[in-house]
Amino acid sequence: MDCASGNALSFRSAETNMTPGRTSFDRTDLAMEVIALHESGARVFATFDRIAEDLKRIARDIEQVTVAAESCACAALYPESRIDKIPFALSE
C-alpha cells in the first residue's frame, strides 16, 4: 500500500473451499518471494503494475484498489502519510 495516496495491491495467494468450481491452492510462500524480490530492489522499480505482473501465475484476484481509510497504525510514526484518510481503529 502507498499510504499517502491510498493505492494498494490486493491479491489472493491461498484459498480453500471458497467458491464452487475453483480448486484449493496455497502459493503464499511463492507470493512472498515475489514481494521480497521487489522490496530488495530500487523503489522506483517496485510498482504495483510490475508486482502484479510477476504475481500473475502465482496469485488470483489481483487488483489495484484505492482505500480511504488507514489500513494500519503506521500513521502514529508517519503522520505526514495520513493526509485525509480515516484514522486506523483496532476492531474486534
Side-chain angles (χ1 to χ4, degrees), residues 11-91:
F11 59 91
R12 183 183 314 276
S13 63
E15 80 177 20
T16 186
N17 300 322
M18 296 286 290
T19 306
R22 285 177 56 146
T23 57
S24 298
F25 73 103
D26 185 352
R27 299 186 197 111
T28 304
D29 291 340
L30 291 172
M32 293 308 295
E33 287 176 17
V34 169
I35 301 300
L37 179 66
H38 284 273
E39 286 181 341
S40 69
R43 285 298 197 200
V44 69
F45 298 114
T47 66
F48 290 144
D49 288 335
R50 288 175 186 230
I51 296 169
E53 183 65 31
D54 288 348
L55 288 170
K56 267 187 181 177
R57 292 190 175 111
I58 296 170
R60 291 184 181 161
D61 306 326
I62 302 168
E63 63 180 339
Q64 293 184 48
V65 297
T66 301
V67 295
E70 294 175 342
S71 61
C72 66
C74 286
L77 297 175
Y78 306 103
E80 69 279 3
S81 293
R82 176 174 280 148
I83 306 175
D84 61 349
K85 305 282 178 305
I86 299 166
F88 173 80
L90 187 62
S91 62

